[in-house]
Each structure stands twice: as structure tokens, then as C-alpha cells.
Short mmCIF file of all heavy atoms in Angstrom, two decimals:
data_model
loop_
_atom_site.label_atom_id
_atom_site.label_comp_id
_atom_site.label_asym_id
_atom_site.label_seq_id
_atom_site.Cartn_x
_atom_site.Cartn_y
_atom_site.Cartn_z
N ASP A 19 43.50 -20.14 6.43
CA ASP A 19 44.10 -20.68 7.64
C ASP A 19 44.41 -19.52 8.61
O ASP A 19 44.28 -19.68 9.80
CB ASP A 19 45.31 -21.49 7.29
CG ASP A 19 45.03 -22.82 6.67
OD1 ASP A 19 43.88 -23.26 6.77
OD2 ASP A 19 45.98 -23.43 6.15
N GLY A 20 44.80 -18.46 8.06
CA GLY A 20 45.05 -17.22 8.93
C GLY A 20 43.78 -16.75 9.61
O GLY A 20 43.79 -16.49 10.83
N ILE A 21 42.69 -16.83 8.86
CA ILE A 21 41.39 -16.43 9.47
C ILE A 21 40.95 -17.47 10.52
O ILE A 21 40.51 -17.13 11.62
CB ILE A 21 40.32 -16.34 8.33
CG1 ILE A 21 40.62 -15.19 7.43
CG2 ILE A 21 38.87 -16.13 8.96
CD1 ILE A 21 39.79 -15.14 6.17
N LEU A 22 41.14 -18.76 10.14
CA LEU A 22 40.76 -19.77 11.16
C LEU A 22 41.58 -19.72 12.44
O LEU A 22 41.10 -19.94 13.48
CB LEU A 22 40.97 -21.22 10.48
CG LEU A 22 39.89 -21.65 9.43
CD1 LEU A 22 40.30 -22.92 8.80
CD2 LEU A 22 38.55 -21.72 10.01
N SER A 23 42.85 -19.33 12.28
CA SER A 23 43.72 -19.20 13.44
C SER A 23 43.21 -18.04 14.32
O SER A 23 43.07 -18.28 15.58
CB SER A 23 45.17 -18.87 12.96
OG SER A 23 45.99 -18.68 14.08
N LEU A 24 42.84 -16.95 13.75
CA LEU A 24 42.29 -15.83 14.53
C LEU A 24 40.95 -16.16 15.18
O LEU A 24 40.76 -15.87 16.36
CB LEU A 24 42.15 -14.55 13.59
CG LEU A 24 43.43 -13.95 13.16
CD1 LEU A 24 43.10 -12.88 12.12
CD2 LEU A 24 44.20 -13.32 14.34
N VAL A 25 40.10 -16.80 14.41
CA VAL A 25 38.76 -17.17 14.95
C VAL A 25 38.87 -18.18 16.09
O VAL A 25 38.24 -18.08 17.15
CB VAL A 25 37.87 -17.78 13.83
CG1 VAL A 25 36.58 -18.36 14.45
CG2 VAL A 25 37.58 -16.74 12.82
N SER A 26 39.82 -19.16 15.90
CA SER A 26 39.97 -20.22 16.97
C SER A 26 40.54 -19.57 18.26
O SER A 26 40.09 -19.95 19.33
CB SER A 26 40.94 -21.31 16.45
OG SER A 26 42.20 -20.77 16.22
N VAL A 27 41.48 -18.64 18.12
CA VAL A 27 41.99 -17.97 19.32
C VAL A 27 40.82 -17.11 20.01
O VAL A 27 40.66 -17.24 21.24
CB VAL A 27 43.13 -17.00 18.94
CG1 VAL A 27 43.57 -16.18 20.16
CG2 VAL A 27 44.39 -17.89 18.41
N GLY A 28 40.06 -16.38 19.21
CA GLY A 28 39.01 -15.55 19.78
C GLY A 28 37.96 -16.41 20.48
O GLY A 28 37.54 -16.08 21.56
N ALA A 29 37.53 -17.45 19.78
CA ALA A 29 36.49 -18.29 20.30
C ALA A 29 36.96 -19.05 21.53
O ALA A 29 36.16 -19.22 22.51
CB ALA A 29 36.00 -19.29 19.22
N SER A 30 38.16 -19.51 21.53
CA SER A 30 38.70 -20.29 22.69
C SER A 30 38.82 -19.35 23.92
O SER A 30 38.61 -19.74 25.08
CB SER A 30 40.08 -20.88 22.37
OG SER A 30 39.96 -21.75 21.35
N LEU A 31 39.16 -18.06 23.69
CA LEU A 31 39.31 -17.12 24.77
C LEU A 31 38.02 -16.49 25.22
O LEU A 31 37.98 -15.54 26.06
CB LEU A 31 40.30 -16.04 24.40
CG LEU A 31 41.72 -16.52 24.20
CD1 LEU A 31 42.64 -15.30 23.79
CD2 LEU A 31 42.31 -17.18 25.39
N TYR A 32 36.91 -16.96 24.65
CA TYR A 32 35.58 -16.46 25.08
C TYR A 32 35.37 -16.61 26.61
O TYR A 32 34.80 -15.80 27.23
CB TYR A 32 34.48 -17.21 24.35
CG TYR A 32 33.09 -16.67 24.51
CD1 TYR A 32 32.71 -15.48 23.92
CD2 TYR A 32 32.12 -17.45 25.19
CE1 TYR A 32 31.39 -15.01 24.13
CE2 TYR A 32 30.84 -16.98 25.36
CZ TYR A 32 30.49 -15.75 24.83
OH TYR A 32 29.21 -15.28 24.94
N TRP A 33 35.89 -17.70 27.13
CA TRP A 33 35.83 -17.89 28.62
C TRP A 33 36.59 -16.83 29.36
O TRP A 33 36.17 -16.30 30.42
CB TRP A 33 36.40 -19.27 28.95
CG TRP A 33 35.42 -20.37 29.15
CD1 TRP A 33 35.14 -21.39 28.33
CD2 TRP A 33 34.50 -20.48 30.26
NE1 TRP A 33 34.16 -22.20 28.84
CE2 TRP A 33 33.74 -21.71 30.02
CE3 TRP A 33 34.30 -19.78 31.41
CZ2 TRP A 33 32.81 -22.15 30.87
CZ3 TRP A 33 33.26 -20.20 32.30
CH2 TRP A 33 32.57 -21.39 32.06
N LEU A 34 37.76 -16.45 28.82
CA LEU A 34 38.67 -15.52 29.50
C LEU A 34 37.94 -14.15 29.61
O LEU A 34 38.06 -13.52 30.66
CB LEU A 34 39.97 -15.36 28.65
CG LEU A 34 40.94 -14.26 29.19
CD1 LEU A 34 41.47 -14.60 30.53
CD2 LEU A 34 42.09 -14.11 28.18
N PHE A 35 37.28 -13.65 28.56
CA PHE A 35 36.74 -12.37 28.55
C PHE A 35 35.32 -12.32 29.12
O PHE A 35 34.74 -11.18 29.33
CB PHE A 35 36.71 -11.75 27.14
CG PHE A 35 38.04 -11.62 26.52
CD1 PHE A 35 38.43 -12.39 25.41
CD2 PHE A 35 38.99 -10.81 27.12
CE1 PHE A 35 39.72 -12.30 24.89
CE2 PHE A 35 40.30 -10.64 26.63
CZ PHE A 35 40.65 -11.37 25.50
N ASN A 36 34.67 -13.48 29.34
CA ASN A 36 33.28 -13.45 29.76
C ASN A 36 33.11 -14.44 31.02
O ASN A 36 31.97 -14.98 31.17
CB ASN A 36 32.36 -13.94 28.66
CG ASN A 36 32.41 -12.94 27.44
OD1 ASN A 36 31.74 -11.91 27.41
ND2 ASN A 36 33.21 -13.33 26.43
N PHE A 37 34.19 -14.62 31.78
CA PHE A 37 34.14 -15.71 32.76
C PHE A 37 33.00 -15.41 33.77
O PHE A 37 32.16 -16.36 34.01
CB PHE A 37 35.47 -15.70 33.53
CG PHE A 37 35.56 -16.72 34.64
CD1 PHE A 37 35.61 -18.03 34.33
CD2 PHE A 37 35.55 -16.28 35.94
CE1 PHE A 37 35.62 -19.01 35.38
CE2 PHE A 37 35.59 -17.22 36.93
CZ PHE A 37 35.67 -18.62 36.64
N GLU A 38 32.91 -14.26 34.35
CA GLU A 38 31.90 -14.01 35.37
C GLU A 38 30.47 -14.10 34.88
O GLU A 38 29.59 -14.63 35.49
CB GLU A 38 32.13 -12.62 36.09
CG GLU A 38 33.44 -12.60 36.90
CD GLU A 38 33.60 -11.25 37.58
OE1 GLU A 38 32.75 -10.38 37.47
OE2 GLU A 38 34.63 -11.12 38.26
N GLN A 39 30.24 -13.53 33.63
CA GLN A 39 28.94 -13.59 33.06
C GLN A 39 28.51 -15.01 32.74
O GLN A 39 27.34 -15.35 32.96
CB GLN A 39 28.91 -12.77 31.76
CG GLN A 39 29.19 -11.26 31.97
CD GLN A 39 30.60 -10.87 31.81
OE1 GLN A 39 31.50 -11.61 32.27
NE2 GLN A 39 30.88 -9.78 31.23
N ILE A 40 29.43 -15.79 32.21
CA ILE A 40 29.13 -17.21 31.89
C ILE A 40 28.75 -17.99 33.16
O ILE A 40 27.80 -18.76 33.16
CB ILE A 40 30.28 -17.93 31.16
CG1 ILE A 40 30.50 -17.26 29.76
CG2 ILE A 40 30.02 -19.39 31.06
CD1 ILE A 40 31.76 -17.80 29.04
N ILE A 41 29.52 -17.75 34.22
CA ILE A 41 29.24 -18.46 35.49
C ILE A 41 27.83 -18.08 35.97
O ILE A 41 27.09 -18.97 36.44
CB ILE A 41 30.22 -18.08 36.59
CG1 ILE A 41 31.67 -18.58 36.21
CG2 ILE A 41 29.84 -18.62 37.91
CD1 ILE A 41 31.75 -20.10 36.16
N LEU A 42 27.45 -16.77 35.86
CA LEU A 42 26.07 -16.39 36.22
C LEU A 42 24.99 -16.96 35.33
O LEU A 42 23.86 -17.11 35.78
CB LEU A 42 26.03 -14.83 36.27
CG LEU A 42 26.90 -14.14 37.32
CD1 LEU A 42 26.82 -12.62 37.11
CD2 LEU A 42 26.39 -14.48 38.70
N ARG A 43 25.41 -17.27 34.07
CA ARG A 43 24.38 -17.71 33.14
C ARG A 43 24.31 -19.26 33.08
O ARG A 43 23.62 -19.77 32.19
CB ARG A 43 24.69 -17.23 31.66
CG ARG A 43 24.44 -15.74 31.46
CD ARG A 43 24.29 -15.43 29.94
NE ARG A 43 25.49 -15.75 29.26
CZ ARG A 43 26.53 -14.88 29.02
NH1 ARG A 43 26.41 -13.65 29.57
NH2 ARG A 43 27.54 -15.18 28.33
N ILE A 44 25.01 -19.98 33.86
CA ILE A 44 25.06 -21.49 33.81
C ILE A 44 23.62 -22.00 33.89
O ILE A 44 22.88 -21.58 34.84
CB ILE A 44 25.96 -22.05 34.93
CG1 ILE A 44 27.42 -21.85 34.57
CG2 ILE A 44 25.60 -23.54 35.12
CD1 ILE A 44 28.39 -22.43 35.50
N GLY A 45 23.23 -22.80 32.95
CA GLY A 45 21.87 -23.38 32.91
C GLY A 45 20.94 -22.45 32.14
O GLY A 45 19.81 -22.82 31.83
N ASN A 46 21.37 -21.28 31.76
CA ASN A 46 20.52 -20.34 30.99
C ASN A 46 21.36 -19.55 29.92
O ASN A 46 21.37 -18.34 29.91
CB ASN A 46 19.83 -19.37 31.95
CG ASN A 46 18.76 -18.55 31.28
OD1 ASN A 46 18.13 -18.97 30.31
ND2 ASN A 46 18.58 -17.29 31.73
N PHE A 47 22.05 -20.36 29.15
CA PHE A 47 23.01 -19.75 28.18
C PHE A 47 22.23 -19.05 27.04
O PHE A 47 21.10 -19.49 26.69
CB PHE A 47 23.95 -20.80 27.56
CG PHE A 47 24.83 -21.47 28.59
CD1 PHE A 47 24.67 -22.87 28.82
CD2 PHE A 47 25.75 -20.78 29.34
CE1 PHE A 47 25.45 -23.48 29.82
CE2 PHE A 47 26.55 -21.36 30.28
CZ PHE A 47 26.42 -22.71 30.51
N ASN A 48 22.84 -17.96 26.53
CA ASN A 48 22.15 -17.21 25.41
C ASN A 48 22.62 -17.78 24.04
O ASN A 48 23.46 -18.66 23.97
CB ASN A 48 22.39 -15.72 25.56
CG ASN A 48 23.88 -15.40 25.48
OD1 ASN A 48 24.69 -16.00 24.80
ND2 ASN A 48 24.29 -14.39 26.27
N GLN A 49 22.10 -17.17 23.02
CA GLN A 49 22.35 -17.64 21.62
C GLN A 49 23.87 -17.47 21.30
O GLN A 49 24.41 -18.33 20.63
CB GLN A 49 21.45 -16.93 20.65
CG GLN A 49 21.50 -17.59 19.23
CD GLN A 49 20.44 -16.96 18.32
OE1 GLN A 49 19.75 -15.96 18.68
NE2 GLN A 49 20.28 -17.57 17.16
N VAL A 50 24.47 -16.38 21.66
CA VAL A 50 25.89 -16.18 21.38
C VAL A 50 26.72 -17.21 22.04
O VAL A 50 27.65 -17.77 21.39
CB VAL A 50 26.29 -14.81 21.92
CG1 VAL A 50 27.86 -14.57 21.66
CG2 VAL A 50 25.55 -13.69 21.17
N ASP A 51 26.41 -17.60 23.23
CA ASP A 51 27.18 -18.66 23.90
C ASP A 51 27.13 -19.95 23.11
O ASP A 51 28.19 -20.60 22.88
CB ASP A 51 26.55 -18.95 25.31
CG ASP A 51 26.70 -17.73 26.25
OD1 ASP A 51 27.59 -16.99 26.06
OD2 ASP A 51 25.89 -17.75 27.23
N PHE A 52 25.95 -20.33 22.59
CA PHE A 52 25.86 -21.59 21.85
C PHE A 52 26.58 -21.48 20.52
O PHE A 52 27.18 -22.43 20.10
CB PHE A 52 24.32 -21.93 21.61
CG PHE A 52 23.66 -22.43 22.80
CD1 PHE A 52 22.53 -21.75 23.32
CD2 PHE A 52 24.09 -23.51 23.53
CE1 PHE A 52 21.87 -22.20 24.45
CE2 PHE A 52 23.47 -23.96 24.67
CZ PHE A 52 22.34 -23.35 25.11
N ILE A 53 26.54 -20.32 19.90
CA ILE A 53 27.28 -20.19 18.57
C ILE A 53 28.73 -20.29 18.80
O ILE A 53 29.45 -21.00 18.03
CB ILE A 53 26.89 -18.78 17.98
CG1 ILE A 53 25.45 -18.75 17.45
CG2 ILE A 53 27.81 -18.49 16.79
CD1 ILE A 53 24.94 -17.40 17.03
N VAL A 54 29.26 -19.59 19.83
CA VAL A 54 30.73 -19.70 20.13
C VAL A 54 31.14 -21.17 20.47
O VAL A 54 32.08 -21.67 19.96
CB VAL A 54 31.08 -18.76 21.26
CG1 VAL A 54 32.54 -19.03 21.71
CG2 VAL A 54 30.93 -17.32 20.86
N GLY A 55 30.27 -21.75 21.27
CA GLY A 55 30.55 -23.17 21.69
C GLY A 55 30.59 -24.09 20.50
O GLY A 55 31.48 -24.97 20.33
N GLY A 56 29.64 -23.94 19.56
CA GLY A 56 29.56 -24.74 18.31
C GLY A 56 30.79 -24.48 17.46
O GLY A 56 31.37 -25.45 16.88
N ILE A 57 31.20 -23.25 17.36
CA ILE A 57 32.39 -22.91 16.52
C ILE A 57 33.64 -23.60 17.13
O ILE A 57 34.40 -24.16 16.32
CB ILE A 57 32.60 -21.34 16.49
CG1 ILE A 57 31.51 -20.72 15.58
CG2 ILE A 57 33.96 -21.07 15.89
CD1 ILE A 57 31.53 -19.23 15.63
N VAL A 58 33.79 -23.54 18.41
CA VAL A 58 34.98 -24.15 19.02
C VAL A 58 34.94 -25.67 18.76
O VAL A 58 36.05 -26.28 18.40
CB VAL A 58 35.05 -23.84 20.56
CG1 VAL A 58 36.10 -24.67 21.29
CG2 VAL A 58 35.28 -22.38 20.82
N ILE A 59 33.87 -26.32 18.89
CA ILE A 59 33.79 -27.76 18.67
C ILE A 59 34.23 -28.06 17.28
O ILE A 59 35.06 -29.04 16.98
CB ILE A 59 32.35 -28.30 18.91
CG1 ILE A 59 32.02 -28.25 20.38
CG2 ILE A 59 32.19 -29.71 18.40
CD1 ILE A 59 30.55 -28.53 20.73
N VAL A 60 33.71 -27.31 16.24
CA VAL A 60 34.07 -27.55 14.83
C VAL A 60 35.58 -27.34 14.69
O VAL A 60 36.26 -28.11 13.97
CB VAL A 60 33.25 -26.71 13.92
CG1 VAL A 60 33.78 -26.79 12.49
CG2 VAL A 60 31.74 -27.09 14.00
N LEU A 61 36.12 -26.28 15.24
CA LEU A 61 37.49 -25.93 15.07
C LEU A 61 38.42 -26.95 15.71
O LEU A 61 39.49 -27.29 15.23
CB LEU A 61 37.80 -24.52 15.56
CG LEU A 61 37.20 -23.36 14.79
CD1 LEU A 61 37.41 -22.05 15.50
CD2 LEU A 61 37.85 -23.26 13.38
N VAL A 62 37.99 -27.46 16.91
CA VAL A 62 38.78 -28.50 17.52
C VAL A 62 38.85 -29.73 16.68
O VAL A 62 39.93 -30.33 16.49
CB VAL A 62 38.16 -28.81 18.91
CG1 VAL A 62 38.71 -30.14 19.44
CG2 VAL A 62 38.46 -27.73 19.93
N LEU A 63 37.73 -30.14 16.11
CA LEU A 63 37.70 -31.31 15.20
C LEU A 63 38.58 -31.05 13.99
O LEU A 63 39.34 -31.96 13.53
CB LEU A 63 36.28 -31.61 14.80
CG LEU A 63 35.38 -32.11 16.00
CD1 LEU A 63 33.94 -32.22 15.48
CD2 LEU A 63 35.87 -33.47 16.50
N GLU A 64 38.52 -29.89 13.37
CA GLU A 64 39.31 -29.64 12.16
C GLU A 64 40.78 -29.56 12.48
O GLU A 64 41.63 -30.16 11.74
CB GLU A 64 38.87 -28.30 11.51
CG GLU A 64 39.69 -27.84 10.35
CD GLU A 64 39.92 -28.79 9.24
OE1 GLU A 64 39.16 -29.70 9.11
OE2 GLU A 64 40.82 -28.53 8.40
N ALA A 65 41.11 -28.92 13.60
CA ALA A 65 42.59 -28.90 14.04
C ALA A 65 43.08 -30.34 14.27
O ALA A 65 44.24 -30.64 13.93
CB ALA A 65 42.73 -28.03 15.25
N THR A 66 42.31 -31.12 14.92
CA THR A 66 42.66 -32.53 15.23
C THR A 66 42.85 -33.30 13.91
O THR A 66 43.75 -34.11 13.80
CB THR A 66 41.66 -33.19 16.12
OG1 THR A 66 41.45 -32.39 17.28
CG2 THR A 66 42.10 -34.59 16.55
#
């Protein structure tokens, strides 16, 4: 649970640390973007 807490915080804040790059990549996301997005979806469901 401690690990999940850290991962959820890091993945959720992906927008904070990569805001400008993500905005420039809209419509052309890379593999890391999709992996982080998938992790957040799973963590949101598990937390819920």
C-alpha cells in the first residue's frame, strides 16, 4: 500500500511535471504517456 501510494502520487502528478510537453503532444502521445495513463486508470479504480 505504501508503494501504491507513492506510485499513485507520481502518476497523478505526471501532468504537473510534463504539462507543456503533453499539450504539444496532444493527438500524438508517446508510449510513456499511455503507460502512465493506464496506471492512473487502474489506481483510480482500485482506490474507489
Side-chain angles (χ1 to χ4, degrees):
D19 286 345
I21 294 171
L22 286 175
S23 178
L24 289 172
V25 171
S26 63
V27 171
S30 298
L31 294 180
Y32 187 70
W33 262 109
L34 174 64
F35 298 116
N36 300 277
F37 179 71
E38 291 183 3
Q39 296 93 319
I40 292 173
I41 293 297
L42 292 173
R43 287 200 299 268
I44 284 179
N46 189 31
F47 299 116
N48 60 36
Q49 191 171 8
V50 175
D51 294 336
F52 287 121
I53 291 173
V54 172
I57 289 172
V58 171
I59 291 171
V60 172
L61 290 174
V62 164
L63 293 174
E64 170 58 14
T66 305

